[in-house]
């Protein structure tokens, strides 16, 4: 059974959460830990008759919500008026020991038929591991609570952004995309050793690799989609690719129609920034019917290749013409292998600007331009 969202309840003047908070301080809630240790001053009493939740089930997990249910003995079940839910991010052994720990989230809800929905982007982040435990409680006439022991601790992981969330990101990216500029080639910069390795070990064909964790934390392509990164940005004054790059002094250039044509599909993948004024948009090009196409079709918003704000392929007088957005930096992922014989490899004359690299770059969670209200 679906119950009112907890985030709505918190804003309701007659909500169970607010009613509890009036009589039970946050400190009192925190004094009642998972081990059942309670302060004499906490306003929480203990009564063994209240059933302890067990066999906890987590279901319908999204990037910012989940459903929770459990079993209880029937003894004194009718005395239960509230549930206390202890939700915490799972500790990461590799986390920075100097950073502040995440504040545990103690949720209070009126006892309703199970399963109940827990929803809230301010305490749930996408693709994040959590632990949860539950306690039953009975509110007394004097405002104190009688509580059960804590349940066992259950672990679960929130989901990636859905197509709905990605569409919200897409709409925000469209606002700042700017006018379209003509281009003719996709290009990929790497070190000379990379291209030597491709020739020697991969039969001259660049192979797709798993995308890193740069960009939005909830992006469904990070760590999952296999592809090859390309750029297509051009300099405003020349209409050609810039001579500088953060990824290496050697550049592979390929005619745009070799990768992007009527036999490919185009998808929106992400929108982010790295504490800078400029923003990145990730697009995915996948040959129709390929494994990459099937992956994207299930997870990403598809764009009209002829009419969108970021990257277009149109036909004029029988010739394919290409345009890219001027005011965002496009990162294009092509999901199939690409043979070096389809283009050219040459050394660039500019500098290698390492500061512009987006490898495993983390998104700025405070940016109002590229964030949506379902985590970062």
């Amino acid at each position: 059974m679906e119950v009112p969202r907890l985030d709505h309840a918190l804003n309701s003047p007659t909500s169970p959460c607010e009613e509890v908070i009036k009589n039970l301080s946050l400190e009192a809630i925190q004094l009642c830990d998972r081990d059942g240790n309670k302060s004499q001053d906490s306003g929480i009493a203990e009564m063994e008759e209240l059933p302890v939740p067990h066999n906890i089930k987590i279901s319908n997990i999204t990037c910012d919500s989940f459903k929770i249910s459990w079993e209880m003995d029937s003894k004194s079940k009718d005395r239960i008026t509230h549930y206390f839910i202890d939700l915490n991010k799972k500790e990461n052994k590799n986390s920075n020991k100097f950073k502040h720990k995440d504040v545990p989230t103690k949720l209070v809800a009126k006892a309703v038929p199970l399963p109940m929905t827990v929803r809230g982007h301010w305490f749930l982040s996408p693709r994040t591991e959590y632990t949860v435990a539950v306690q039953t409680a009975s509110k007394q006439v004097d405002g104190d609570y009688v509580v059960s022991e804590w349940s066992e601790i259950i672990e679960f992981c929130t989901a990636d952004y859905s197509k709905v969330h990605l569409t919200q990101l897409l709409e925000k990216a469209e606002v700042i995309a700017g006018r379209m500029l003509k281009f003719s080639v996709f290009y990929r910069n790497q070190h000379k050793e990379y291209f030597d390795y491709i020739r020697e070990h991969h039969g001259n064909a660049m192979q797709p690799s798993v995308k890193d964790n740069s960009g939005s934390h909830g992006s469904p392509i990070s760590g999952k989609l296999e592809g090859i990164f390309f750029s297509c940005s051009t300099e405003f004054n020349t209409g050609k690719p810039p001579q500088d790059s953060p990824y290496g002094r050697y550049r592979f250039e390929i005619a745009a129609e070799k990768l992007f044509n009527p036999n490919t599909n185009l998808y929106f993948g992400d929108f982010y920034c790295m504490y800078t004024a400029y923003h990145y948009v990730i697009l995915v090009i996948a040959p129709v019917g390929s494994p990459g196409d099937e992956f994207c079709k299930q997870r990403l918003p598809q764009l009209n290749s002829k009419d969108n704000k970021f990257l277009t392929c149109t036909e004029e007088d029988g010739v394919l013409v290409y345009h890219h957005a001027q005011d965002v930096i496009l990162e294009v992922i092509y999901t199939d292998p690409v043979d070096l014989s389809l283009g050219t490899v040459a050394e660039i004359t500019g500098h290698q600007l390492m500061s512009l690299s987006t490898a495993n770059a983390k998104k700025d969670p405070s940016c109002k331009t590229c964030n949506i209200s379902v985590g970062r």
Side-chain angles (χ1 to χ4, degrees):
M1 176 180 177
E2 186 88 5
V3 301
R5 289 172 43 172
L6 288 183
D7 51 358
H8 284 179
L10 285 169
N11 294 323
S12 170
T14 58
S15 73
C17 297
E18 189 167 309
E19 177 187 354
V20 171
I21 292 171
K22 287 179 180 177
N23 299 291
L24 183 63
S25 69
L26 178 61
E27 179 184 8
I29 295 177
Q30 291 175 331
L31 285 172
C32 177
D33 61 26
R34 284 179 175 174
D35 298 325
N37 303 318
K38 304 173 185 68
S39 167
Q40 295 296 324
D41 302 324
S42 69
I44 301 179
E46 183 176 0
M47 181 178 289
E48 294 181 359
E49 287 79 359
L50 281 181
V52 179
H54 61 276
N55 195 24
I56 297 175
K57 302 290 186 184
I58 305 293
S59 61
N60 296 79
I61 300 172
T62 72
C63 65
D64 65 345
S65 69
F66 62 91
K67 284 189 176 182
I68 184 170
S69 63
W70 55 83
E71 297 176 6
M72 293 180 289
D73 296 332
S74 58
K75 183 179 179 182
S76 299
K77 191 174 180 180
D78 58 346
R79 295 174 54 85
I80 298 173
T81 61
H82 291 80
Y83 301 135
F84 294 167
I85 300 175
D86 187 14
L87 182 69
N88 296 277
K89 282 188 179 180
K90 189 176 177 181
E91 291 186 7
N92 182 356
K93 293 180 180 179
N94 297 321
S95 60
N96 187 341
K97 66 180 180 179
F98 297 106
K99 289 180 67 177
H100 292 294
K101 289 186 176 180
D102 291 297
V103 178
T105 301
K106 312 288 183 177
L107 306 176
V108 183
K110 278 189 175 179
V112 295
L114 301 175
M116 64 180 292
T117 299
V118 178
R119 184 188 307 275
H121 66 263
W122 66 93
F123 58 79
L124 284 173
S125 297
R127 203 186 273 200
T128 303
E129 292 183 326
Y130 289 91
T131 63
V132 63
V134 185
Q135 197 175 38
T136 58
S138 176
K139 187 174 183 180
Q140 308 299 291
V141 293
D142 60 0
D144 286 349
Y145 282 80
V146 174
V147 297
S148 73
E149 295 296 326
W150 284 105
S151 70
E152 74 272 26
I153 298 173
I154 298 297
E155 298 180 0
F156 71 99
C157 184
T158 48
D160 298 331
Y161 284 162
S162 68
K163 280 188 178 181
V164 173
H165 302 123
L166 287 172
T167 299
Q168 294 176 26
L169 272 181
L170 164 63
E171 291 170 350
K172 291 178 79 73
E174 288 177 334
V175 173
I176 69 163
R179 68 176 183 140
M180 304 292 280
L181 299 178
K182 186 178 288 188
F183 77 101
S184 60
V185 298
F186 289 103
Y187 56 93
R188 172 176 173 80
N189 275 71
Q190 283 288 346
H191 299 286
K192 181 178 182 296
E193 291 76 15
Y194 167 83
F195 293 109
D196 291 342
Y197 185 86
I198 293 300
R199 296 185 184 97
E200 182 176 351
H201 297 282
H202 291 291
N204 217 46
M206 294 184 290
Q207 300 297 315
S209 59
V210 177
K211 183 194 171 298
D212 65 13
N213 290 315
S214 60
S216 300
H217 188 58
S219 172
I221 62 176
S222 293
K224 296 181 180 180
L225 177 67
E226 293 187 355
I228 305 171
F229 265 103
F230 285 91
S231 299
C232 63
S233 298
T234 56
E235 292 182 325
F236 176 76
N237 57 338
T238 66
K240 296 181 179 181
Q243 281 300 306
D244 299 323
S245 171
Y247 300 110
R249 293 191 54 80
Y250 283 78
R251 174 174 294 168
F252 171 73
E253 285 191 8
I254 183 171
E257 60 264 26
K258 299 286 187 181
L259 302 185
F260 188 29
N261 53 61
N263 296 318
T264 58
N265 284 326
L266 180 66
Y267 298 91
F268 173 83
D270 200 4
F271 177 45
Y272 71 99
C273 72
M274 304 180 298
Y275 303 89
T276 56
Y278 42 89
H279 283 76
Y280 297 83
V281 169
I282 297 180
L283 302 176
V284 183
I285 298 175
V288 174
S290 66
D293 189 36
E294 293 303 315
F295 177 96
C296 295
K297 192 174 296 182
Q298 299 174 29
R299 298 168 176 84
L300 306 180
Q302 185 171 350
L303 300 176
N304 183 337
S305 297
K306 298 179 180 179
D307 183 19
N308 66 80
K309 300 289 188 181
F310 311 110
L311 186 71
T312 60
C313 169
T314 56
E315 187 172 336
E316 298 179 10
D317 299 326
V319 178
L320 295 179
V321 179
Y322 295 88
H323 292 84
H324 71 81
Q326 175 185 4
D327 293 341
V328 292
I329 300 175
L330 295 182
E331 297 182 309
V332 180
I333 301 176
Y334 187 75
T335 62
D336 272 15
V338 177
D339 198 291
L340 294 178
S341 65
L342 296 175
T344 59
V345 177
E347 187 174 4
I348 60 174
T349 59
H351 302 285
Q352 185 173 342
L353 305 176
M354 295 302 296
S355 62
L356 296 180
S357 173
T358 61
N360 287 305
K362 299 304 179 185
K363 181 174 184 175
D364 178 3
S366 64
C367 178
K368 295 181 180 179
T369 301
C370 62
N371 280 296
I372 56 177
S373 60
V374 285
R376 306 294 181 254

